[in-house]
Amino acid sequence: MTIRVCLAGATGWAGSALARAIAQTDDLELVAGISRQGAGRRLGEVLGLPALDTPLYASAEEALAHACDVFVEYTKPEVAKANASAAIRRGAHVVIGTSGLSDEDLQELGELALAHHVGVLAVGNFSLACVVMQKCAELAARYLPQWELIDYASAGKADAPSGTTRELAYRLSQVGSPPLTVPLDQVQGPVETRGATLNGMQVHSIRLPGYVISIEALFGHLDQKVSIRYDAGSSPDDYVQGALLAIRRVHSISGLERGLDSVMEF
Ligand SMILES: NC(=O)c1ccc[n+]([C@@H]2O[C@H](COP(=O)([O-])OP(=O)(O)OC[C@H]3O[C@@H](n4cnc5c(N)ncnc54)[C@H](OP(=O)(O)O)[C@@H]3O)[C@@H](O)[C@H]2O)c1
């Protein structure tokens, strides 16, 4: 059976790599794409793939006039929630790759999805290497109770922390809540230097030229340290395999699930 896909952000860095990959599959069909600059054109024209005649629209409302089974959100946080809501209301399952949505945004989308009997799979990072890192950090958090996260990204990345880090913070909060030896209100000096508290843990975001996306979970225990780190490469292809998996499996969930591992076997 063919899965009909609507891809928001089809001309972007991540979305165009995914579109190219979808075009090469036998079981997925790209029925519509979203890009304001590409609106009115065919995706194949924009990507240099003449055989790909997927129409592009400026908004989700217009693109969703084409019936789809799965809506992939790969644009910007400002429009991601509205796009995903529109898709859910149309009865489509949703895969969210866009970063910057809060826990509350995702929770609301999950409730809407439950009401419409569809699934929302929010994946902060589709890379399989990142999934492995997340699982290792979850394991470490079960035995090493104190940790902090460092989130690295390029100088121009506006949202902080990254979707990858938000997702890890959420996941680790389901394992435990790391105590601070010196509470924040007893810090001597600018308290901001201790980072932001997200999901009950300290998160430090670095934004510098030369970085892509990296995340480090640092665990300290007695006189020992464990650091678990993921470094993204510079190619959008790193995210394609996981995104295809999410598209193929999102129909199996109902309401919200976070993380690619929720549709993988471990
Ligand atoms: N989960 C993951 O594994 C993963 C991996 C990579 C990236 N990401 C995230 O995915 C998102 C996209 O990243 P990217 O690097 O591909 O960005 P990008 O290169 O800037 O592409 C954004 C895409 O969205 C479209 N877009 C932006 N604003 C829009 C709007 N208001 N209405 C309609 N379309 C809009 C753009 O087309 P127009 O400008 O023509 O509208 C373009 O097609 C980011 O949040 C990024 O952090 C996640």
Side-chain angles (χ1 to χ4, degrees):
M1 203 181 78
T2 302
I3 300 172
R4 297 165 299 173
V5 179
C6 176
L7 176 54
T11 59
W13 180 76
S16 60
L18 179 58
R20 289 174 196 283
I22 291 175
Q24 287 176 6
T25 67
D26 293 330
D27 60 331
L28 307 179
E29 183 194 357
L30 210 40
V31 293
I34 300 171
S35 149
R36 293 158 303 175
Q37 292 171 61
R41 299 174 70 196
R42 301 275 148 183
L43 180 57
E45 257 179 84
V46 179
L47 301 187
L49 295 174
L52 184 61
D53 68 349
T54 305
L56 288 171
Y57 298 93
S59 71
E61 286 300 343
E62 293 166 279
L64 284 164
H66 294 264
C68 68
D69 304 301
V70 177
F71 181 91
V72 179
E73 170 47 49
Y74 238 162
T75 62
K76 295 285 168 204
E78 308 86 81
V79 286
K81 188 178 173 193
N83 285 354
S85 302
I88 293 167
R89 290 180 203 283
R90 294 275 188 147
H93 298 288
V94 175
V95 171
I96 300 179
T98 311
S99 60
L101 292 179
S102 66
D103 291 346
E104 293 72 26
D105 290 333
L106 293 174
Q107 209 54 48
E108 278 176 41
L109 289 172
E111 283 160 23
L112 189 64
L114 273 179
H116 287 79
H117 310 290
V118 293
V120 172
L121 181 53
V123 181
N125 196 310
F126 287 113
S127 141
L128 298 182
C130 184
V131 175
V132 170
M133 183 274 179
Q134 289 172 333
K135 297 305 276 185
C136 292
E138 281 175 327
L139 177 65
R142 282 169 55 193
Y143 298 102
L144 308 173
Q146 281 181 281
W147 66 83
E148 299 194 9
L149 304 183
I150 308 185
D151 159 63
Y152 304 86
S154 57
K157 186 169 177 62
D159 59 302
S162 67
T164 310
T165 303
R166 281 177 190 267
E167 188 171 290
L168 183 62
Y170 171 79
R171 297 169 70 106
L172 294 183
S173 73
Q174 306 300 301
V175 182
S177 186
L180 290 172
T181 305
V182 177
L184 294 178
D185 60 3
Q186 290 175 29
V187 168
Q188 296 173 8
V191 71
E192 295 81 4
T193 59
R194 294 289 295 114
T197 307
L198 184 73
N199 297 110
M201 66 202 71
Q202 296 313 108
V203 177
H204 312 265
S205 284
I206 312 288
R207 294 290 179 265
L208 281 174
Y211 284 80
V212 183
I213 288 281
S214 298
I215 177 166
E216 216 167 14
L218 303 177
F219 296 82
H221 188 56
L222 304 175
D223 194 24
Q224 312 150 92
K225 300 183 280 289
V226 173
S227 56
I228 302 174
R229 182 175 168 121
Y230 162 74
D231 292 295
S234 53
S235 165
D237 295 337
D238 293 346
Y239 307 105
V240 165
Q241 198 184 348
L244 292 176
L245 186 70
I247 293 168
R248 290 182 172 124
R249 304 230 175 129
V250 64
H251 68 88
S252 67
I253 63 178
S254 126
L256 173 71
E257 293 284 351
R258 293 179 69 169
L260 192 63
D261 63 313
S262 53
V263 292
M264 292 170 72
E265 281 163 23
F266 276 93

